[in-house]
Amino acid sequence: MNAIDTPPEEVHTAAIARELSLPARQVRAAAALLAGGATVPFIARYRKEATGGLDEVAVTAIRDRLDVLRELDARRAAILKSLAEQGVLTDALKTRVMAAGTMSALEDVYLPYRPKRRTRGMIAREKGLEPLAKLLFEQGAIDPAAEAAAFVGAEKGVESADDALAGARDIIAEWINEDAETRARMRDLFAREAVLASKVVEGTEAKGAKYKDYFEWKEPLCKAPSHRVLAIRRGAEEGFLTFHILPGEGAALAELERRHVRGSGPASLEVKAAARDAYKRLLGPSMETEMRLETKKRADEEAIRVFASNLRELLLASPLGRTRVLAVDPGLRTGCKIVCLDPQGKLLHHDAIFPLEPFRKTEEAAEKVKALCRRFSIEAIAIGNGTGGREALAFAQGLDLGRAVAIVMVSESGASIYSASETARAEFPDKDVTVRGAVSIGRRLMDPLAELVKIDPKSIGVGQYQHDVDQKALKKSLDDVVVSCVNAVGVEVNTASPHLLAYVSGLSARLAGNIVAYRDEHGPFGTRDELREVSGMGPKTFEQAAGFLRIRDGANALDASAVHPESYGVVERMAGDLGCTVADLMRDGGLRGAIDPRRYVDAKVGLPTLADIMAELEKPGRDPRGRFEAFAFSDAVRAFEDVQVGMRLPGVVTNVTAFGAFVDIGVHDDGLVHVSRLADRFVKNPAEVVKVHQKVLVTVVSVDAERKRIGLSMRTNPADAPVKPAGAEAKASAKGGANAGARTRARPADAEAKASAKGGNVFADFFDNLDRRPKM
């Protein structure tokens, strides 16, 4: 069987196995499970024997590559159909089409046959000049002018020999442009040597001041970080910048001449001129367009990766757990909305207090809060970190509640989005947005994941250039993160909202609604098996979802664990062999220690699954999230005006970007720790050092009162010069692209580095007040 006859799935499996350095059998198994409707979390958790233990990252990579290759197949089929309809499809051409491994290579093969508008080359062919073009392209010992004279004629529309030669060169230029090997080599040249160069649009200097670092900027494209590419593109889209992606023209023309110009005779000079025209008019612009698209794609992928990583950390933040909570949505002019929630997050009571400016009804507010804490046995107070948050926190901390009550400041990023959403209106149709927002704040403290899934991830404020990247790819990636986190933690089926259930493996929004409706009508589920009675819950869906759904205090102790119902029989055999119940096995470590998992290996259950089962028996339904730890900001800093250079302050990382990390130090305006100040060593990727929600200790290195901007450092000695990379990387970075024709300069303070993590407003010259501009 030759390559053309090989089934596409086999070709894809082999290609993906090579790309990911995985055994083909593992890729084949994952691909088969995906084709059968299995989800990534299910495959990674419950089909380890089939896939050889592939994790979610590997299975996701296989899924995504399959999607790309199927898209390539669809385009290949469309091209073959077009070639057949044109009557030009030969066996040799079909072989070339089938052998193309990328979309670019496929389009290169198709380019000469692609229907196109009337070109200069077409016009020259219509004038009968193709024979002259072939003669010149052979580059023999001829006199081009003399040969061209034979093609002159009014009836042909060729007025002179020069006119004939110009037409022939137009034909040759198209041949050069449409040569697949030439395009491949030129594409490689652009990838290696192209320079990203931007300039200001004349007359927009003042309005586009936030992009002034890019008013005259050059650097090798291969070294341009994603955030800089996106910043320049944004500046161009807003009309302040123009940019080009081109290698040195000499290098490009030399490459074309090596491939197409033979000798230095008169005919060769005509071909050389045609090659120059081909590059400047056809090939150069085409390659630049490709590079613009490719660099945008790569920049998008990096920005999306950063966003996804931040979102994962946020969703997996430590929960306080089932606790009676009083939540406060701070406000000055409108007062503070307060709500009381039961351990399941149910709204019990709501009210308003006015302890802050301008009302200062402190005593009245204190009595009301203390009464509510007694009435509802409040165990924790959650306070939103918006305007008035620090003042509300100080007010709560000053109350004598008669017993220990945890008082925690909670990020309210995205709470306003939730409170005005259809989801919030459906949950609380008779409550206003302020009450809904307070409920969201309280529930975030109890279980961040369960509450944040109700909000569009793009509204949570942990992204970078999120509005500039491919929105479809962004949504897919963020949805993958949410699904992964929800299924890693597991979902309590008797208390979960339909929005949380919808992210469970195998479940849809409709089926999640059906589960809640069944629960409301029939009461709490007693067993996982009862889920089969829900409308729409077929055998396949049950298989995909059951292991991720938990039933606490149910009839079967295993229903509270991640042990899949398909493996209950194995656990029951273990218990039977020891003469005890399954519940005994889960309670008694001594009994579990007597189990030899190898005895229970069979055709369906292998050692990987048995290892997971033993871990679940030890800690059934264990939450992978860390233990909740209270955090307190410095009492010395409550407002921006309190922040002074040199202060050493505790903070919480709110956003991690490619250029550094934003940190909340308790003054509403986040400060920035630039990547050069994250550690005492050179840091290439900020995610190596910090994560969203991480507690850190920072030093204030600059305060810009006018612009409300704070520069921070995590260095041992913040006054030290920023750390530079070692070796060749240091040399290239320090030049800032000088080796590509740019003037030596400091690394730009990227437009996105000038953005508030909360507001997203771009601000200019963030580093103006730092003691030294960072160089990388």
Side-chain angles (χ1 to χ4, degrees), residues 182-239:
T182 296
R183 294 182 70 84
R185 288 178 178 270
M186 193 59 57
R187 188 175 292 116
D188 181 63
L189 175 69
F190 268 68
R192 286 185 288 106
E193 299 186 21
V195 172
L196 172 64
S198 62
K199 287 187 176 182
V200 66
V201 174
E202 190 174 350
T204 67
E205 291 84 353
K207 289 184 178 180
K210 60 189 177 184
Y211 297 109
K212 69 178 182 180
D213 288 302
Y214 306 117
F215 284 1
E216 188 182 347
W217 177 256
K218 289 184 181 180
E219 68 179 316
L221 180 65
C222 61
K223 295 182 180 297
S226 64
H227 56 281
R228 195 134 69 227
V229 170
L230 292 172
I232 289 173
R233 290 184 66 95
R234 180 187 287 177
E237 288 171 6
E238 293 180 4

Side-chain angles (χ1 to χ4, degrees), residues 118-126 167 170-172 174 281:
R118 199 160 176 254
T119 65
R120 283 165 49 173
M122 287 179 182
I123 295 170
R125 289 188 185 91
E126 292 169 2
D170 287 341
I171 295 172
I172 294 172
E174 288 191 6
R281 182 169 56 87

Side-chain angles (χ1 to χ4, degrees), residues 499-673:
H499 307 89
L500 184 60
L501 286 167
Y503 285 104
V504 171
S505 169
L507 299 186
S508 63
R510 181 187 61 80
L511 189 49
N514 291 349
I515 290 174
V516 173
Y518 184 96
R519 187 177 74 197
D520 292 342
E521 181 180 352
H522 300 280
F525 289 92
T527 66
R528 276 174 170 163
D529 203 53
E530 191 180 342
L531 286 162
R532 299 178 187 272
E533 303 300 320
V534 175
S535 175
M537 182 70 76
K540 186 68 176 180
T541 303
F542 179 82
E543 177 190 62
Q544 295 293 309
F548 303 104
L549 296 171
R550 309 279 187 267
I551 298 178
R552 189 176 301 187
D553 302 323
N556 189 328
L558 290 174
D559 283 350
S561 75
V563 176
H564 197 282
E566 65 188 10
S567 298
Y568 282 10
V570 176
V571 181
E572 289 164 358
R573 281 167 48 204
M574 293 176 177
D577 290 346
L578 293 173
C580 66
T581 66
V582 170
D584 292 335
L585 199 59
M586 297 172 77
R587 283 192 299 265
D588 193 332
L591 290 172
R592 294 193 300 274
I595 296 173
D596 181 1
R598 291 171 297 182
R599 292 182 53 198
Y600 301 94
V601 173
D602 59 28
K604 293 185 177 179
V605 180
L607 285 175
T609 293
L610 288 166
D612 287 343
I613 288 173
M614 295 304 296
E616 278 298 312
L617 294 178
E618 180 181 358
K619 294 181 179 179
R622 65 192 183 284
D623 193 325
R625 295 173 290 185
R627 186 175 181 179
F628 181 84
E629 295 181 1
F631 172 82
F633 292 112
S634 170
D635 289 336
V637 172
R638 296 183 183 275
F640 187 95
E641 293 70 26
D642 299 329
V643 181
Q644 301 293 325
V645 172
M647 280 185 163
R648 192 82 164 149
L649 302 169
V652 179
V653 177
T654 58
N655 198 4
V656 178
T657 70
F659 48 78
F662 288 95
V663 177
D664 182 0
I665 56 174
V667 297
H668 189 63
D669 297 286
D670 290 352
L672 173 68
V673 184

Side-chain angles (χ1 to χ4, degrees), residues 15-215:
I16 294 171
R18 288 193 300 271
E19 291 173 18
L20 302 182
S21 300
L22 292 172
R25 61 176 179 78
Q26 290 180 281
V27 176
R28 191 177 300 112
L33 288 164
L34 289 164
T39 67
V40 171
F42 177 80
I43 294 170
R45 182 68 175 80
Y46 295 113
R47 291 297 179 262
K48 293 180 178 178
E49 284 81 2
T51 67
L54 293 179
D55 60 15
E56 281 193 19
V57 174
V59 177
T60 299
I62 291 170
R63 181 203 65 187
D64 291 347
R65 284 299 295 149
L66 282 170
D67 288 345
V68 170
L69 292 174
R70 286 168 185 151
E71 182 181 346
L72 184 63
D73 282 344
R75 179 57 179 158
R76 197 190 319 272
I79 286 174
L80 288 173
K81 180 181 178 182
S82 174
L83 293 173
E85 290 173 348
Q86 294 177 51
V88 297
L89 184 61
T90 63
D91 288 343
L93 183 54
K94 183 176 181 180
T95 299
R96 291 179 62 203
V97 170
M98 297 302 296
T102 66
M103 196 67 78
S104 295
L106 183 59
E107 295 297 343
D108 284 351
V109 174
Y110 183 48
L111 181 60
Y113 310 96
R114 179 191 296 154
K116 53 179 75 74
R117 69 180 186 275
R118 199 160 176 254
T119 65
R120 283 165 49 173
M122 287 179 182
I123 295 170
R125 289 188 185 91
E126 292 169 2
K127 294 179 179 179
L129 296 174
E130 189 163 15
L132 177 60
K134 290 179 178 178
L135 189 62
L136 293 176
F137 208 39
E138 290 173 0
Q139 300 174 63
I142 63 170
D143 180 349
E147 297 293 342
F151 293 87
V152 176
E155 70 282 0
K156 298 178 182 179
V158 181
E159 298 179 358
S160 66
D162 287 342
D163 190 14
L165 289 173
R169 289 196 300 269
D170 287 341
I171 295 172
I172 294 172
E174 288 191 6
W175 288 343
I176 292 173
N177 177 57
E178 293 174 354
D179 180 67
E181 181 62 25
T182 296
R183 294 182 70 84
R185 288 178 178 270
M186 193 59 57
R187 188 175 292 116
D188 181 63
L189 175 69
F190 268 68
R192 286 185 288 106
E193 299 186 21
V195 172
L196 172 64
S198 62
K199 287 187 176 182
V200 66
V201 174
E202 190 174 350
T204 67
E205 291 84 353
K207 289 184 178 180
K210 60 189 177 184
Y211 297 109
K212 69 178 182 180
D213 288 302
Y214 306 117
F215 284 1

